[in-house]
Amino acid sequence: MPLPDQPDFHALQGRRILITRSADRARPLAAILQGKGAEALVLPLIDFERVEDQGPMDAALDELQGGSFDWLVISSVTTIRVLIEKAAERGIQPRQLVPGTTRVAAVGTSSRSVLEALGIAVDLAPVGQQSAEGLVSLWPAGGGRAFLPQADIAARTLAEGLHAKGTAVSVVTAYHTVDYPARPERRLAGELPPAVVASGQEAGREVTVQDVRAALDHGTLDAVVAASPSGAKRIAGNLLPLGKCRLVAIGRPTAAEAVRLGLTVAATAQEPTPDGIATALESVFANEGNTR
């Protein structure tokens, strides 16, 4: 019999887990959960749009290609999708945006994996605390100039932390986070490389808000995954009350936002990856037995 702090492989058997991401981004986690006997449901709550004024981003990319920045700092996989789109506009590969003299930093292993799949070497990325705080803790003093493209709603933690280390940070809004679905004409459509997209795996069953509301009311939804602070906000705005459904956060920033919103966080992934989320879910249900 497993100890309380040792998740059982069968802990998710029969559980119904809601992933609040688009089908393509939910696929890796859905595949893991379904491999462990859970039913993965997918409800996109957020989407991403290109900024209307592309001038600041284009100007910063000109500087980047010209070698004016010592660092390119990537804080999300969505930012990489923007770079993929911008490279395509210029008729080049994403790796050609980054000269050999510019070092690249990423906030965690997910972003690092995507960058490396694109042929962009990553010089700095936290392994333990995969977050803005984790990257700032590793940042070298007097880090020259850094280009930080990020979401319109991104916290100032990363920019201010790098500035405190003596780095001149150029922050540019790369994309807008919006309610799903985004406007077709503005929707961010940069496709991630096949190497990091589990295209052959099932993406889980897509559901509607009404489906989820019915499941919550009948107590047939076991957990919901908040994959970002903005996702936590949409959960609070669209799905309450959660009843017996547990909320699991992808990482500390998401958990902190959920708590700020008055939500109870049952578990927080130690690593903001599909495997990390699955482990957090297992820890919640390990000693409860199969109730389905």
Side-chain angles (χ1 to χ4, degrees):
M1 179 176 294
L3 295 175
D5 60 348
Q6 293 179 322
D8 184 348
F9 178 82
H10 300 290
L12 299 180
Q13 184 70 41
R15 298 290 181 177
R16 303 181 79 214
I17 312 296
L18 179 67
I19 307 170
T20 55
R21 274 184 161 175
S22 58
D24 57 336
R25 299 192 71 188
R27 184 175 286 113
L29 176 57
I32 292 172
L33 297 180
Q34 290 167 166
K36 294 177 179 292
E39 179 183 3
L41 307 176
V42 177
L43 176 67
L45 291 179
I46 62 173
D47 210 344
F48 309 101
E49 292 184 351
R50 294 183 295 275
V51 296
E52 186 170 348
D53 181 5
Q54 291 288 311
M57 188 68 180
D58 286 331
L61 288 175
D62 288 342
E63 285 197 81
L64 177 66
Q65 280 191 270
S68 296
F69 290 110
D70 300 290
W71 287 93
L72 168 63
V73 182
I74 300 298
S75 60
S76 71
V77 171
T78 306
T79 301
I80 304 174
R81 292 177 60 197
V82 174
L83 296 181
I84 292 171
E85 282 198 358
K86 299 305 290 185
E89 288 178 5
R90 295 173 180 230
I92 60 176
Q93 295 298 313
R95 63 178 178 272
Q96 294 175 277
L97 290 171
V98 188
T101 55
T102 301
R103 290 176 287 180
V104 178
V107 296
T109 56
S110 294
S111 296
R112 179 173 198 153
S113 296
V114 177
L115 288 166
E116 290 177 342
L118 291 169
I120 301 173
V122 176
D123 300 278
L124 188 66
V127 176
Q129 186 180 0
Q130 296 180 42
S131 63
E133 293 86 350
L135 181 57
V136 169
S137 71
L138 298 177
W139 197 261
R145 291 190 71 207
F147 172 38
L148 175 58
Q150 57 183 186
D152 57 324
I153 61 172
R156 295 288 302 170
T157 306
L158 186 53
E160 292 175 355
L162 301 186
H163 177 74
K165 289 289 188 78
T167 301
V169 185
S170 294
V171 181
V172 176
T173 298
Y175 60 93
H176 291 291
T177 302
V178 299
D179 290 334
Y180 185 90
R183 293 171 292 177
E185 69 275 14
R186 301 221 63 85
R187 188 172 190 272
L188 187 61
E191 296 185 2
L192 299 178
V196 295
V197 177
S199 57
Q201 297 174 335
E202 294 184 20
R205 180 165 66 88
E206 292 192 53
V207 294
T208 66
V209 171
Q210 291 75 20
D211 294 330
V212 174
R213 183 70 266 151
L216 289 169
D217 290 342
H218 289 89
T220 58
L221 187 65
D222 295 293
V224 56
V225 176
S228 66
S230 55
K233 290 179 182 177
R234 268 65 175 193
I235 289 172
N238 293 278
L239 301 183
L240 297 186
L242 294 180
K244 294 182 179 179
C245 177
R246 286 78 157 183
L247 182 132
V248 172
I250 193 173
R252 294 179 184 176
T254 301
E257 179 63 15
V259 171
R260 188 189 70 80
L261 293 165
L263 302 175
T264 299
V265 179
T268 301
Q270 294 301 304
E271 295 184 356
T273 62
D275 284 319
I277 297 169
T279 298
L281 285 162
E282 286 180 313
S283 72
V284 172
F285 298 114
N287 295 310
E288 294 188 9
N290 185 356
T291 60
R292 298 264 178 256

